[in-house]
Amino acid sequence: MKNYFIVLLLVLSFGTAFADNQDWKEYSYTKFIVNTKNVLGISEATGEISVRTGLNSLDEKNFRYKVIRIKQLFKPQNSDMALYNELGLGRIYVFYVQSNQTIDMKHLINEYSNDTNVLYSEPVFIGHSAGMRDYNYIKPQSLKSQLMPNDPLFYMQWHLKNTGIITTTSGASAKIGADVNMENAWELETGSDDIIVAILDSGIRDDHPELKGRIWINKNEIPNNGIDDDNNGYVDDVRGWNFTEDDNNPEDGFGHGTNIASVIGENSNNNVGYAGINFRCKLMNCKNLTDDNRGDYDWWIESIKYAVDNGARIINMSEGGEDFSKTLKTAIDYAVRKGVFVVTAMMNKNDGKNYYPASYQGVFAVGATDTDDKRCKRFTWGGGSCWGNHIKVVAPGNKIYGLDNNDVNNYDISWSGTSQSAAIVSGIASLLLAQNPKRTIDDLSRIITATAVDGIGDPREDTPGWDKYMGFGRVDAYAALMYEYKGKEKIIQNNNNSVIEQPEGQVNNKRKAKSIEERRAVLK
């Protein structure tokens, strides 16, 4: 009986504990999230969720805090309804309040969390992208050599082929071969337009000539007819969606998303500009960062579900926040349960703190290396690659050149951060799916980690096997595409030292096959 009352007390005090024990960093004062015990009713007059819910205790709070709108966060359209109901997505709402008032958000969250009709309430936290544009750099002289692909600025993409001519302002030396071994990888696989990579970011300059034919098109939607033709909850979402403004214009006013898109899938081998990792994949444009680099978690949550429900195999989230959110975790769970590979950035504050979504179980968190193959301790603009128990791998992330969102003729733009590192891993994962579309997210994770190059960083950080600074090592696209399943081996999982099973890979990093045919034959 005593134990029963202890458990009951814990349950009753959950809401207060949730609010008081959180060291919140950044959140909205005009909206918050409420997970109710039952689905709220729809007003017959407006067709929307009524602010007057018919639940007395909840209505009293709504009146006192001047709640002006309630929005269902996870739309049911196109959902896996069994999973939708299992995760309770239909009972999670965003409550909007009048902006011309001063609110003690912690007190508000406490009150709603302790309401008998509510499971939990939390703020709408705010995050940002994990990359910054570089402004101070010296453009290197052109390198004349036999390059593949034939894009004239490929020599500047040290992350794909490090020839030792690109240096950063961080003091890192240019180390030949400190790259992702991309040229050899392309001889095995260049991509498939059947694979959709969702880019959850600041939008994409989708009319850029170097992205022509690469933007995902919702073929079930008739353009500009003002009708939700495919009944997915979004009207005229032909070229993606802008979750920051809730409209169908996901243009990029910040530039970060355009850079990420070009790293993953810029048109390649066409004698123009740079080369994207995947020559053919489709890029789904989900704008969830404003033009001043603000990302409200409810935008992130909604964009995750949109990407999953509309066919994305990979979600790239080069963004993060400092605050844990149950609802954001629920959205990640939905994606993972639906078999979508979620790649996230470790963030750039050069510390070992938890950032989200990178710290959630189920995502693939990526840190950054510099031109010398060591962890990037200082990007061109400052900061440094974060580390932690959840890191999986690292990839190049300092001075990564790409397309400009403002000027389609400007190719002198580079960005730095774990944002760019995550994009590289998303690109490699998309090649692995093009090679074998039946691969699961566990397959992708195992292949990428098993073939990562270990022991190339600072020996004080990059210790043998997994470590919290470099994960399993720096990714190698060629080794990943050459990976063969041959039974199972046991490895130590990084975050809790538990033993898990992983397919044994035959990876030959030192010897290359003599011909493209021989390399491809290995995979048959």
Side-chain angles (χ1 to χ4, degrees):
M1 182 62 71
K2 181 178 180 181
N3 291 338
Y4 170 81
F5 283 115
I6 291 175
V7 172
L8 180 61
L9 180 61
L10 289 173
V11 171
L12 291 175
S13 62
F14 173 79
T16 301
F18 171 75
D20 291 344
N21 293 339
Q22 295 298 311
D23 182 20
W24 299 338
K25 301 299 182 183
E26 193 173 359
Y27 51 89
S28 173
Y29 285 91
T30 60
K31 55 187 174 180
F32 58 98
I33 292 172
V34 177
N35 186 350
T36 58
K37 293 181 179 179
N38 296 291
V39 175
L40 299 182
I42 304 294
S43 169
E44 293 183 2
T46 64
E48 297 182 353
I49 298 169
S50 176
V51 172
R52 293 187 176 182
T53 66
L55 304 171
N56 293 335
S57 59
L58 204 56
D59 288 346
E60 184 276 327
K61 295 178 183 63
N62 291 347
F63 176 79
R64 183 154 43 90
Y65 285 108
K66 300 178 182 178
V67 174
I68 57 175
R69 181 191 176 201
I70 299 176
K71 173 185 174 182
Q72 190 174 40
L73 185 52
F74 294 93
K75 295 185 179 182
Q77 293 93 330
N78 286 6
S79 300
D80 178 335
M81 290 309 298
L83 183 59
Y84 185 90
N85 293 328
E86 179 185 340
L87 296 176
L89 303 187
R91 295 181 281 101
I92 301 177
Y93 304 91
V94 180
F95 283 43
Y96 297 81
V97 298
Q98 287 184 5
S99 57
N100 60 345
Q101 60 177 323
T102 301
I103 293 179
D104 182 340
M105 188 57 69
K106 286 197 173 185
H107 183 72
L108 178 151
I109 295 299
N110 271 332
E111 284 208 58
Y112 276 86
S113 293
N114 287 322
D115 191 286
T116 57
N117 300 292
V118 172
L119 289 175
Y120 73 82
S121 179
E122 66 179 8
V124 170
F125 295 112
I126 299 170
H128 307 275
S129 72
M132 294 286 287
R133 181 170 172 169
D134 303 327
Y135 290 95
N136 299 316
Y137 61 88
I138 300 175
K139 182 178 179 180
Q141 298 298 312
S142 177
L143 179 68
K144 294 182 180 180
S145 64
Q146 296 299 317
L147 296 173
M148 199 297 266
N150 60 23
D151 303 88
L153 299 178
F154 179 67
Y155 73 94
M156 297 171 66
Q157 295 181 278
W158 71 267
H159 60 291
L160 303 181
K161 182 175 181 178
N162 193 337
T163 59
I165 67 169
I166 302 293
T167 58
T168 65
T169 58
S170 64
S173 60
K175 179 181 177 182
I176 295 176
D179 53 52
V180 301
N181 203 1
M182 204 64 236
E183 278 190 308
N184 293 315
W186 279 324
E187 293 179 351
L188 301 172
E189 182 61 63
T190 57
S192 166
D193 57 11
D194 291 330
I195 304 303
I196 301 171
V197 180
I199 298 175
L200 278 54
D201 215 285
S202 63
I204 302 172
R205 174 69 186 266
D206 61 9
D207 64 346
H208 198 293
E210 276 292 85
L211 295 175
K212 184 178 181 180
R214 305 303 302 280
I215 302 300
W216 170 78
I217 301 297
N218 185 355
K219 296 179 180 179
N220 296 318
E221 193 77 13
I222 299 173
N224 304 318
N225 68 351
I227 300 172
D228 181 13
D229 299 287
D230 60 355
N231 194 35
N232 70 348
Y234 301 89
V235 176
D236 291 336
D237 59 319
V238 177
R239 302 175 71 84
W241 195 256
N242 179 353
F243 295 90
T244 71
E245 298 292 338
D246 198 24
D247 62 34
N248 66 343
N249 183 24
E251 65 180 9
D252 186 5
F254 180 51
H256 187 267
T258 299
N259 176 270
I260 296 300
S262 59
V263 170
I264 295 172
E266 178 178 349
N267 284 325
S268 307
N269 211 31
N270 62 349
N271 287 297
V272 179
Y274 302 107
I277 290 175
N278 192 310
F279 291 10
R280 298 180 180 86
C281 71
K282 297 301 182 182
L283 308 171
M284 182 183 289
N285 190 359
C286 298
K287 180 180 173 71
N288 67 5
L289 291 171
T290 61
D291 295 345
D292 60 356
N293 194 24
R294 168 189 169 124
D296 292 4
Y297 278 21
D298 58 327
W299 304 335
W300 294 6
I301 291 161
E302 195 174 352
S303 60
I304 290 170
K305 187 173 182 297
Y306 179 92
V308 173
D309 291 346
N310 286 281
R313 293 293 306 275
I314 297 168
I315 290 177
N316 187 90
M317 295 188 72
S318 291
E319 55 196 6
E322 297 186 59
D323 295 289
F324 173 87
S325 163
K326 286 189 173 187
T327 316
L328 181 58
K329 177 61 169 64
T330 300
I332 293 292
D333 289 343
Y334 182 78
V336 172
R337 294 278 295 275
K338 291 292 291 180
V340 178
F341 192 56
V342 183
V343 182
T344 62
M346 284 290 294
M347 303 304 289
N348 306 324
K349 294 193 176 180
N350 202 17
D351 60 30
K353 295 180 180 179
N354 288 337
Y355 297 91
Y356 305 94
S359 296
Y360 292 132
Q361 185 177 2
V363 305
F364 198 86
V366 184
T369 56
D370 213 329
T371 53
D372 58 359
D373 240 0
K374 297 178 181 178
R375 180 177 68 87
C376 190
K377 297 180 180 179
R378 184 179 183 277
F379 296 109
T380 52
W381 50 266
S385 179
C386 291
W387 66 87
N389 291 332
H390 51 286
I391 189 172
K392 295 297 189 296
V393 293
V394 288
N398 207 8
K399 191 182 286 190
I400 307 300
Y401 287 90
L403 302 176
D404 184 11
N405 67 306
N406 291 317
D407 183 355
V408 298
N409 296 310
N410 182 16
Y411 289 91
D412 290 345
I413 299 297
S414 63
W415 289 68
S416 298
T418 56
S419 279
Q420 284 59 46
S421 307
I424 290 169
V425 171
S426 291
I428 294 172
S430 70
L431 291 181
L432 287 168
L433 286 177
Q435 187 183 58
N436 182 359
K438 294 182 180 180
R439 282 175 170 147
T440 67
I441 58 176
D442 288 338
D443 294 334
L444 296 177
S445 179
R446 290 166 180 169
I447 293 171
I448 295 170
T449 56
T451 58
V453 183
D454 193 20
I456 44 85
D458 186 333
R460 292 170 296 183
E461 294 185 348
D462 192 6
T463 55
W466 179 89
D467 59 72
K468 66 180 180 179
Y469 297 100
M470 304 279 282
F472 287 100
R474 191 252 303 131
V475 293
D476 186 312
Y478 170 71
L481 289 165
M482 284 289 291
Y483 189 86
E484 286 184 297
Y485 291 106
K486 284 196 172 183
K488 292 185 176 180
E489 60 180 342
K490 288 188 176 181
I491 64 169
I492 301 297
Q493 178 70 314
N494 54 306
N495 57 356
N496 58 6
N497 290 328
S498 61
V499 178
I500 65 171
E501 299 259 320
Q502 170 159 318
E504 181 181 5
Q506 166 130 9
V507 182
N508 189 341
N509 287 319
K510 297 182 179 179
R511 175 187 174 275
K512 297 177 183 176
K514 294 181 180 180
S515 67
I516 297 176
E517 290 73 21
E518 183 182 347
R519 295 181 190 187
R520 288 175 175 159
V522 174
L523 303 173
K524 294 180 179 179

